[in-house]
Amino acid sequence: MLVLLAGIFVVHIATVIMLFVSTIANVWMAGLSSGKTNTSGLWLQCTGGNCGDLRFEEDDLNALKAVQAFMILAIIFSFVSLVMFVVQLFTMEKGKRFYMTGAIMLVCWLFILISVSIYTARFPQYFTSSLDHHGYSFILAWICFCFSFIIGILYLVLRKK
């Protein structure tokens, strides 16, 4: 049981780090334009090493702000869930379940789902070249989506022994 808890703890820490990286890095979409690498993230758009503000329509800028907000909330809730797990690990009676930790992690899962869904629905039309593709930050966000769901369910099922 101790090995299982340690494994979940390590995966949870990895999820928090990957969420942080996927939110900060500017590689949600990537491609080539005139022989130069073109990347776009949640904060900046970079072409050939020169970065500047994102150039989207006003409606899509509001959607982008929603994606930014939900990704930041996902990081916060994932971190709070990690702290809550450590607190419950040392203060909770034996035989009890990690309900609070699991519930907070599932809220994090929901926030990740909302943010990557909005990004998937609203922004691919800006990248129409056959060389454009989703970048590693976008893929990391989907990996965190899977990990946070699995961790949240495991926290709900596990008992402290």
Side-chain angles (χ1 to χ4, degrees):
M1 183 56 120
L2 183 62
V3 173
L4 182 62
L5 287 174
I8 291 171
F9 184 72
V10 168
V11 172
H12 196 150
I13 290 174
T15 302
V16 172
I17 292 169
M18 287 189 299
L19 268 173
F20 195 72
V21 168
S22 72
T23 303
I24 290 177
N26 286 314
V27 193
W28 279 59
M29 292 295 284
L32 289 175
S33 173
S34 302
K36 296 180 181 177
T37 303
N38 182 19
T39 62
S40 178
L42 300 180
W43 312 101
L44 295 173
Q45 186 166 1
C46 300
T47 303
N50 298 325
C51 296
D53 291 336
L54 294 166
R55 295 178 297 273
F56 295 128
E57 295 175 15
E58 189 63 34
D59 289 342
D60 288 336
L61 282 177
N62 292 333
L64 182 69
K65 288 178 184 176
V67 172
Q68 292 170 345
F70 279 114
M71 285 302 288
I72 290 170
L73 284 171
I75 292 170
I76 292 168
F77 273 75
S78 184
F79 183 75
V80 167
S81 177
L82 185 66
V83 170
M84 181 67 75
F85 172 68
V86 171
V87 168
Q88 284 184 331
L89 195 60
F90 291 109
T91 61
M92 194 168 56
E93 298 174 11
K94 289 186 177 188
K96 301 276 183 170
R97 294 184 190 258
F98 297 96
Y99 287 127
M100 201 60 167
T101 304
I104 294 170
M105 197 63 192
L106 288 177
V107 170
C108 168
W109 168 76
L110 183 66
F111 288 157
I112 297 170
L113 174 66
I114 292 169
S115 63
V116 293
S117 296
I118 292 171
Y119 194 87
T120 302
R122 297 295 293 259
F123 296 103
Q125 73 265 18
Y126 291 101
F127 302 92
T128 56
S129 169
S130 62
L131 299 174
D132 292 339
H133 59 279
H134 290 289
Y136 71 87
S137 298
F138 182 78
I139 296 166
L140 274 179
W142 277 111
I143 291 170
C144 291
F145 166 76
C146 297
F147 281 174
S148 62
F149 180 72
I150 293 167
I151 293 169
I153 296 298
L154 285 176
Y155 280 145
L156 291 176
V157 172
L158 285 180
R159 291 182 185 269
K160 182 179 177 187
K161 297 218 177 203

